[in-house]
Amino acid sequence: MNTLIKSATIVDSKSDFHNEKVDILIERGRISKISKRITNQNNYREIRLDNLHVSRGWFDSSVSFGEPGFEERETISNGLKTAARSGFTAVALNSNTHPVVDSNPDITFIQSKSAGHATNLYPIGALTRAGNGVDLAELFDMQSAGAVAFYDYKQPIENPNLLKIALQYASNFNGLVLSFPQENKISGLGVVNEHINSTKLGLKGNPALAEELQVARDLFLLEYTEGKLHIPTISTAKSVQLIREAKSKKMDVTCSVAIHNLVLTDDELADFNTNFKVLPPLRTNEDLEALIEGLKDGTIDMVTSDHNPIDIEGKKVEFEYAKYGTIGLESAFGALQTVFTTKKAIALLTKGKERFGIELNPINEGERAELTLFNPDVNYNFTSSDILSKSNNSIFLGHRLKGKVYGIVANNKISLSNE
């Protein structure tokens, strides 16, 4: 793939051309030249777009597609197309499937289904067999096949000894263990944040304590085992504080936050719209502000769309019975820019790769071309026409967002939203 990108402003602090408007020549998938003006001597394809900005390719550490088993929600092929046109050159795919991905052949299958796409797919294997929380899955075999981490998606590890053993075992091959932060005996049948709004609406509450107890427990286990832990999608102020303290002790822990938990609170629940039923639940403004501060000071390592397509049968029911989850790839950039500057938003979207063992590619001559193309200055209302996924369960429908994605150049391919 050979192409010439014209008049693009580079947003990449690791690039020699950061904040400069330049032309970028890509030949055979690599950046061969960056200059103020490059003549298209070989008649390569040219990319010229309004207010074009280019950054290193974005990464999402928590994406679900459904295949195998839930293809009615999303397929791997369309999911990767959606990711590409939402600006993501790499995604870590959860084992949120039926059956769950818990063996070497399963990882190989997932990778084979992703071949030929612009976006790279990195499988996350289940931590336990069948995701049942009882016995460890074949962790080393899955990592040998290409798994980048191990996680029972949205399923807490209730047995602390099992997590202890997982952390100890995975440390032998530098494996990354993920543990969902919820104590089920505390959360009970709660479906929304336990606070004033849950009482007003008559909905069962899931208290912040349920998350914080689990985070505290997992950090004690991490300190004991000296393992390698990632805590996905934290949502409370106390969780941020606990992880901040753990990092001050030099413990090997990272964490993420879902973008919707940075933008929305449980005030959105007033009309019982099931698109707002997510796990962890939308919390209070106090929690939201603490999460933002955690990103600013580095306590929280990365953001995620926590993209989880759910078909209409799973959402168009009473709130109590609806499935948890929202799609988020398409709205990730636009929502993030309602909270942070473009520079900070891009920094957050490009973080996390190193933790998952994924190659970093700054925008410099000689580097592999892994680029996201976008216009940061477009304000718009997010509607169903902006959805590329098979499922339409977006938490941001009707919300005002800022920033449009053009697509990506990666994997020796071009994927643009207007094609």
Side-chain angles (χ1 to χ4, degrees), residues 359-401:
E359 182 183 358
L360 303 174
N361 294 287
I363 305 177
N364 284 318
E365 292 177 358
E367 295 285 348
R368 193 158 59 88
E370 193 171 282
L371 311 174
T372 298
L373 286 59
F374 59 96
N375 180 344
D377 299 326
V378 177
N379 292 285
Y380 67 105
N381 289 321
F382 188 82
T383 67
S384 58
S385 64
D386 297 301
I387 292 175
L388 305 171
S389 303
K390 284 186 69 176
S391 298
N392 295 317
N393 58 308
S394 172
I395 201 169
F396 286 110
L397 278 171
H399 284 258
R400 191 76 173 166
L401 305 184

Side-chain angles (χ1 to χ4, degrees), residues 63-98:
V63 167
S64 299
F65 289 151
E67 186 180 5
F70 299 120
E71 288 85 353
E72 71 278 6
R73 299 178 184 176
E74 186 58 282
T75 62
I76 290 174
S77 178
N78 191 66
L80 288 173
K81 180 180 177 181
T82 298
R85 297 187 178 187
S86 301
F88 293 90
T89 61
V91 296
L93 184 67
N94 294 304
S95 57
N96 185 20
T97 55
H98 183 70

